Amino acid sequence: MAAVQQYESCLGRYLLEALAARPGFKIWGIADLGRLDWRVPTISITREDRTAQQIAEHLARRHIYVWNGNMYALGLSERLGLEERGGFLRIGLIHYNTFEEIDRLLEALDEL
């Protein structure tokens, strides 16, 4: 389990670093790379010029599957001012994902 946790942390770090380098995206939650022990590799993002649903549909057309909405965190989504825009995009990584898949995701996000 320690090896799985370490690998997932590396995946999360890779994606967080890449998203931070893309100014159009806002990362919600812990983005401090020094605090990765405090989070799992499930990353929520938004983009000012697109709704989460629009981003999810764009990714789905490229066979990249994510979630959009409030993930049953309605109160949080409302307090963050995201609910009226349809919530946020949730990217879930796990031990069977690869760095190549993250690169595919990033290429698709760069198309927006």
Side-chain angles (χ1 to χ4, degrees), residues 44-64:
S44 297
I45 62 171
T46 54
R47 184 172 165 134
E48 195 171 308
D49 64 343
R50 301 279 197 293
T51 66
Q53 182 172 344
Q54 289 171 327
I55 300 170
E57 289 171 355
H58 170 79
L59 295 174
R61 286 190 295 273
R62 286 144 185 83
H63 305 285
I64 300 169

Side-chain angles (χ1 to χ4, degrees), residues 96-112:
Y96 54 76
N97 289 119
T98 66
F99 291 97
E100 291 80 14
E101 289 172 322
I102 295 172
D103 288 337
R104 269 190 50 232
L105 165 68
L106 293 167
E107 288 173 15
L109 290 174
D110 287 343
E111 295 171 355
L112 294 171

Side-chain angles (χ1 to χ4, degrees), residues 69-88:
N70 61 34
M71 311 309 136
Y72 304 103
L74 176 61
L76 175 64
S77 183
E78 289 173 336
R79 280 192 296 273
L80 294 174
L82 298 175
E83 192 60 26
E84 61 269 8
R85 294 195 65 233
F88 49 89

Side-chain angles (χ1 to χ4, degrees), residues 12-32:
R13 173 183 294 275
Y14 186 74
L15 181 55
L16 286 170
E17 287 175 339
L19 289 170
R22 288 163 169 79
F25 294 97
K26 171 154 179 54
I27 300 167
W28 295 91
I30 297 171
D32 178 354

